[in-house]
Amino acid sequence: MEIDDDLLANSDAGTEDDDEFVELAPEQTSAMDGMDPEEFPYDVLALEQVVTLMVDIIKEVRNVVEIPATTTRILLNHFKWDKEKLIETYYESDPDRIFADAHLISPSRKVAIACSKREIKPRYSVKENGEYVCEICYASVPEQLMSGLECGHRFCISCWTHYLTTKIMDEGMGQTISCAAHNCDILVDDETVMKLLSDSHVKLKYQHLITNSFVECNRLLRWCPTPDCGHVIKGQYVSDKPVTCRCGHTFCFACGQNWHDPVKCSILRKWIKKCDDDSETSNWIAANTKECPKCRSIIEKDGGCNHMVCKKCRFDFCWVCLGPWEPHGSSWYNCNRYDEDEAKRARSAQEKSRAALQRYLFYCNRYMNHMQSLKLENKLYASVRDKMEEMQKHNMSWIEVQFLKKAVDVLCQCRQTLMHTYVFAFYLRKNNQSIIFETNQRDLEQATEQLSEYLEREITQEVLRDIKQKVQDKSRYCESRRNVLLKHVHEGYENELWEYLDNI
Amino acid sequence: MAGGLPRRIIKETQRLMAEPVPGIKAVPDEGNARYFHVIVEGPAESPFEGGTFKLELFLPEEYPMSAPKVRFMTKIYHPNIDKLGRICLDILKDKWSPALQIRTVLLSIQALLSAPNPDDPLENDVAEQWKVNEAQAIATAKQWTKMYATRG
Ligand SMILES: [Zn+2]
Ligand SMILES: [Zn+2]
Ligand SMILES: [Zn+2]
Ligand SMILES: [Zn+2]
Ligand SMILES: [Zn+2]
Ligand SMILES: [Zn+2]
C-alpha cells in the first residue's frame, strides 16, 4: 500500500514523478475548475499532521490541568474536543466526578492503587536462574524483555505486542486499551503503545483509531472517504464546497459524498436513502447487460458511451431509453425529459402508485447510468494513454497531446454533474425555470454523449492531427454547457426559484 | 502455527491434569488438543447440587489473546445460561485477559452456578422468574437438575 508507506516514511507524497510523461491521475490542485468565484480555503493534512494537531491541543490542556497525556486525550474526547469546556468544568466542579463520567480512574488515585497493590502481591513470578516467567505465554525471559505499566503487571514484550495488535486490529480498540492483566484498569498510554508495536500497519491503524474521534468530533475536520487514504481535510469553516484530497478524490466538505453540484447535500442524502431502500431496483438498473431492442441478442456495455450498436443486427440505439439513436443527435432529443402525461391521467390509487414508480425508475435509470459510465471511463483513461504515447511517437510533443487527457477529465466532470442533475430533477416541481433547466440538461447530455463517442470510437480511426481540433472543440463546448447549467441552478438557489416536491 | 501447539496450551493442559480443580474434570479430546470435554459438579447448597453438567471448551487459534469458547451440553435452568448452553460471563467476553486461564474460566463457571445473577440475564424468561418468584425458580432448577443432570 503506497499511501501507507508514504505516510510513515514522511516522504514527499504528492510530488510528481519526472519520468512519468503521461500522468493520468486526476489533477491534485484544481478543485472543480474554479466554478466558485471565491475559493474555499482548506488544507489537506496527512495523518501525522492530524496527530500533531491533536497533540498540540492535548499539550495546551495539560499545561492547565496537569494530568497524563492519554488521560487528557480521553477526557477531551469526552468533551467532544471542546478544550474550553473541559477546563471550565474541571475547575468549576469536582475533577473526580469528571474522571468517573469519562470512565477513567483519577490519576492521583491511580498511583495510590498501583503502590498499594504492589506491596500486597508481587506482580510477576521470578525464576531461580533470574529469568521471569511471562504469565501469558509461560516462557521464561530475561528481565530486559519484560515490560509493563505503572500497575506493576509485567509480561514479555512479544506477548504485549501480540496483545496490542489483537486489540487494535481485531477489536478495533484504540481509545482505551487497558493492561493485559485481568481486572486491571490501568490504561496503556499512547507512547507505550507506539514503543511496543513494530508493524507499521498496526501503528497506522492505532493512530487512525485515536485520531478518528478527534476528527469525527471536529466540525472543521473531515476524513477523505477513499478507503485506506488516511488524509484529513481541514476547512476554515463549514460549507458545501468541493475539496480535493492528495489522493485525487474530490468530495463535498459538508457531507463527504462525491462532489454533487448542482444538487444540495440534504436532497442527495434523501435520494441515496431512497436508492438504498430500493436497492433491488437500483441493482437491476445498474446491470451491465441488456437485450438489443430489435433482435433481442444480449449486449454488454463495456465503455461509458451510451450510443450502442448491436453487433448482430447493427441497430443503433440508446442504452438508457432503448430507443433508436438517431434523434439523440438532433434537436428533438428528449431522452432526459420525463413525460408527465401518463402520471396526470392516472386516476385510481393503483394507477397513481404505478405512475410514481415509473417516474422514479426514469430518474434512477439515468442517475445510475451516468454513474456506471463514470466508472467505465477509467478504461478510457487507459486507452487514451496508449493513444497519447502513439502520438508522441509521431513527433507530437508531450504538451501537445495533453488535450486528450484533459478531454477525459471534462467527460468525467460532465457525467458527474449530469448524474446529480437527475437527483435534482427528481425532487423538482415543474415551473418555467425547471423547463430551462431541463433544456440545459439536454444540451449538456447530448454534448457529453458526443464527446464520449469521439473518445471511445472515432479516436482509433481518425488521422492524429485531425482529431485534435475535433476533440478540443467538443470538450470546450461540453465545459461551457456544464458551466451554463450550474450557473443557472446556482442563480436559482440565490433567487429561490426552485420548488421541491415534498410528497416523495 | 499449523501443527505446533503453543507452549502455553501444553503447560496449561499438563497442570490441569496434574492438579485438577475440585469438582471439575477437563480432558482434552484425543483428536484435538484444543478441544476439552468438561464435567462440572453442581456446587453444594446450590439448586444444581447432585447434578453433573457436561460442557465443551474450545481454545480458538488466537487463544490466549481471545477467550476460550465454552458451552453447556447438559440442559440447565439458569438465568445466565441460554437454551443453547451459551454462558453470559464477563470474562468470556469484554473482560477477557490473556493472563486468565482455562482453570480460572472453569472456576468462574462453577461460581456462576453457586450465585446466579438475574440482573445480567441471557435467558430473559428464566431471569424474570428468578426475580419474581425465587423459590419457584429454585424449585424448577432443582427439578431440571434431577431430570437432565443426574445419571441413572
Ligand atoms: Zn509472553
Ligand atoms: Zn496492570
Ligand atoms: Zn484521499
Ligand atoms: Zn454535500
Ligand atoms: Zn440487435
Ligand atoms: Zn435515450
Side-chain angles (χ1 to χ4, degrees):
Chain A
M1 225 161 283
E2 279 168 53
I3 292 166
D4 292 356
D5 290 339
D6 278 352
L7 276 170
L8 286 167
N10 215 355
S11 73
D12 48 351
T15 49
E16 260 158 64
D17 198 337
D18 296 311
D19 303 335
E20 185 85 90
F21 274 116
V22 192
E23 173 59 57
L24 282 159
E27 294 290 341
Q28 301 198 337
T29 43
S30 78
M32 286 314 240
D33 52 341
M35 269 304 298
D36 291 289
E38 358 85 75
E39 282 282 309
F40 175 63
Y42 67 89
D43 295 312
V44 184
L45 306 182
L47 196 51
E48 291 88 48
Q49 293 171 292
V50 182
V51 174
T52 310
L53 190 68
M54 183 173 80
V55 167
D56 286 347
I57 298 178
I58 294 172
K59 262 190 211 146
E60 239 179 279
V61 173
R62 284 189 69 196
N63 283 340
V64 185
V65 299
E66 296 179 318
I67 46 178
T70 305
T71 313
T72 313
R73 172 170 62 73
I74 294 162
L75 220 47
L76 270 162
N77 244 336
H78 184 67
F79 282 92
K80 300 254 179 267
W81 289 88
D82 185 337
K83 54 181 189 238
E84 281 82 23
K85 196 172 158 209
L86 188 160
I87 294 169
E88 198 186 292
T89 320
Y90 194 84
Y91 283 107
E92 282 178 8
S93 56
D94 176 16
D96 279 350
R97 252 301 280 293
I98 298 170
F99 287 119
D101 283 350
H103 303 287
L104 283 167
I105 301 174
S106 146
S108 51
R109 252 186 66 213
K110 205 155 125 181
V111 175
I113 295 170
C115 293
S116 66
K117 274 194 187 163
R118 200 170 312 168
E119 275 168 5
I120 295 164
K121 190 173 140 213
R123 314 232 97 185
Y124 46 87
S125 35
V126 183
K127 247 189 149 188
E128 278 169 17
N129 58 7
E131 288 196 327
Y132 298 97
V133 175
C134 167
E135 263 185 67
I136 293 176
C137 64
Y138 293 0
S140 47
V141 285
E143 184 170 15
Q144 68 270 24
L145 292 182
M146 297 287 280
S147 183
L149 309 163
E150 69 261 46
C151 54
H153 296 116
R154 305 219 157 258
F155 304 103
C156 80
I157 285 174
S158 105
C159 280
W160 266 116
T161 308
H162 197 169
Y163 172 73
L164 294 172
T165 305
T166 308
K167 288 281 166 198
I168 294 161
M169 302 307 278
D170 298 352
E171 296 174 33
M173 269 177 87
Q175 285 300 321
T176 52
I177 302 177
S178 58
C179 167
H182 176 52
N183 258 344
C184 182
D185 287 335
I186 302 296
L187 293 172
V188 191
D189 57 277
D190 302 342
E191 211 178 311
T192 309
V193 173
M194 292 315 264
K195 204 175 66 198
L196 287 166
L197 290 176
S198 49
D199 186 323
S200 61
H201 270 87
V202 186
K203 279 184 165 173
L204 191 70
K205 177 80 190 281
Y206 179 74
Q207 284 189 321
H208 198 287
L209 285 167
I210 60 166
T211 44
N212 191 42
S213 37
F214 170 63
V215 174
E216 309 255 289
C217 289
N218 208 314
R219 280 161 45 81
L220 299 180
L221 299 177
R222 185 179 280 284
W223 288 110
C224 167
T226 305
D228 292 326
C229 171
H231 282 82
V232 165
I233 308 292
K234 182 170 179 274
Q236 285 187 15
Y237 48 90
V238 181
S239 179
D240 55 344
K241 289 280 153 49
V243 290
T244 301
C245 176
R246 208 157 294 158
C247 72
H249 182 52
T250 299
F251 58 98
C252 171
F253 184 66
C255 74
Q257 290 291 341
N258 288 347
W259 181 230
H260 51 72
D261 207 17
V263 74
K264 293 271 186 201
C265 305
S266 57
I267 298 284
L268 181 67
R269 201 173 306 128
K270 220 166 142 185
W271 171 261
I272 288 172
K273 189 175 177 301
K274 190 174 175 64
C275 289
D276 280 351
D277 292 348
D278 216 350
S279 60
E280 221 169 285
T281 314
S282 314
N283 290 339
W284 175 74
I285 288 172
N288 256 340
T289 53
K290 283 182 186 174
E291 277 181 1
C292 162
K294 205 167 175 189
C295 77
R296 301 283 152 214
S297 55
I298 301 292
I299 314 270
E300 196 181 351
K301 192 166 191 277
D302 59 354
C305 179
N306 288 316
H307 177 184
M308 308 304 289
V309 182
C310 173
K311 286 202 177 77
K312 212 168 155 199
C313 73
R314 310 298 306 162
F315 181 55
D316 287 51
F317 66 99
C318 164
W319 177 263
V320 183
C321 65
L322 296 176
W325 183 255
E326 211 191 335
H328 288 74
S330 71
S331 56
W332 41 288
Y333 169 83
N334 220 1
C335 186
N336 71 319
R337 185 166 281 154
Y338 177 65
D339 181 6
E340 306 266 0
D341 289 353
E342 201 184 331
K344 275 185 198 140
R345 280 195 301 273
R347 294 269 178 265
S348 69
Q350 200 191 350
E351 273 173 359
K352 275 189 179 124
S353 80
R354 222 196 60 173
L357 179 66
Q358 291 280 325
R359 186 176 180 278
Y360 167 65
L361 287 176
F362 179 90
Y363 289 101
C364 186
N365 186 8
R366 279 148 185 84
Y367 167 82
M368 288 287 176
N369 198 68
H370 281 298
M371 190 195 312
Q372 199 71 9
S373 292
L374 191 56
K375 280 183 196 148
L376 292 168
E377 306 304 8
N378 282 324
K379 274 191 179 174
L380 200 53
Y381 273 114
S383 75
V384 158
R385 180 169 48 213
D386 293 345
K387 193 73 190 175
M388 285 163 85
E389 275 164 14
E390 195 193 320
M391 288 171 130
Q392 280 173 274
K393 280 183 204 133
H394 287 81
N395 290 330
M396 278 173 96
S397 70
W398 178 79
I399 199 77
E400 270 182 297
V401 301
Q402 288 308 303
F403 76 93
L404 264 180
K405 181 197 170 281
K406 171 83 172 119
V408 181
D409 287 344
V410 169
L411 177 65
C412 288
Q413 285 173 351
C414 289
R415 288 226 183 268
Q416 185 143 342
T417 303
L418 281 167
M419 172 181 154
H420 292 107
T421 58
Y422 284 106
V423 182
F424 181 69
F426 177 71
Y427 292 98
L428 202 60
R429 192 185 294 279
K430 225 180 170 72
N431 61 18
N432 288 341
Q433 292 301 321
S434 83
I435 293 168
I436 299 174
F437 165 76
E438 279 184 332
T439 308
N440 287 338
Q441 184 189 37
R442 182 195 71 189
D443 291 350
L444 176 60
E445 189 161 69
Q446 218 171 355
T448 304
E449 293 302 347
Q450 282 164 357
L451 178 62
S452 177
E453 208 169 339
Y454 278 165
L455 291 170
E456 205 166 293
R457 302 237 171 82
E458 302 191 4
I459 196 176
T460 50
Q461 301 151 12
E462 302 249 348
V463 188
L464 298 176
R465 295 243 173 223
D466 291 352
I467 63 168
K468 181 165 178 176
Q469 198 57 43
K470 251 174 133 178
V471 167
Q472 259 179 335
D473 288 350
K474 193 52 83 182
S475 75
R476 278 195 202 114
Y477 181 67
C478 281
E479 269 190 305
S480 77
R481 292 316 310 168
R482 178 168 168 269
N483 289 346
V484 166
L485 179 140
L486 292 175
K487 195 162 161 254
H488 177 240
V489 177
H490 292 169
E491 280 167 5
Y493 283 132
E494 274 163 37
N495 302 315
E496 297 180 4
L497 300 174
W498 307 121
E499 302 168 283
Y500 294 109
L501 300 164
D502 34 303
N503 54 346
I504 46 174
Chain B
M1 277 203 210
L5 204 58
R7 179 209 316 268
R8 152 100 188 216
I9 296 179
I10 296 167
K11 288 228 167 169
E12 246 196 282
T13 309
Q14 282 169 356
R15 260 189 237 171
L16 214 50
M17 306 306 270
E19 322 151 28
V21 188
I24 298 173
K25 216 170 94 190
V27 187
D29 187 81
E30 280 175 19
N32 185 347
R34 287 175 176 273
Y35 186 90
F36 290 75
H37 303 272
V38 180
I39 290 172
V40 175
E41 282 172 26
E45 285 164 48
S46 80
F48 312 102
E49 185 173 4
T52 48
F53 297 88
K54 259 209 241 171
L55 289 85
E56 58 176 359
L57 182 147
F58 180 69
L59 305 176
E61 185 63 45
E62 306 77 36
Y63 182 82
M65 292 308 157
S66 323
K69 309 232 176 294
V70 201
R71 191 170 75 93
F72 271 81
M73 308 289 279
T74 308
K75 251 173 99 85
I76 182 166
Y77 191 81
H78 191 292
N80 311 106
I81 300 162
D82 73 1
K83 286 190 196 73
L84 298 172
R86 291 174 302 195
I87 309 163
C88 177
L89 190 63
D90 58 356
I91 61 160
L92 291 178
K93 292 178 218 160
D94 55 318
K95 286 282 161 18
W96 171 253
S97 145
L100 289 170
Q101 308 165 13
I102 301 173
R103 176 186 300 272
T104 37
V105 167
L106 295 176
L107 279 167
S108 304
I109 291 172
Q110 208 177 33
L112 195 66
L113 294 186
S114 291
N117 178 11
D119 292 324
D120 182 21
L122 190 61
E123 198 61 14
N124 280 313
D125 299 347
V126 180
E128 197 53 35
Q129 186 63 245
W130 219 277
K131 277 199 229 174
V132 176
N133 188 345
E134 200 183 342
Q136 178 60 52
I138 288 173
T140 312
K142 279 185 180 161
Q143 201 188 337
W144 280 42
T145 305
K146 202 170 258 161
M147 260 183 347
Y148 304 112
T150 320
R151 267 169 291 179

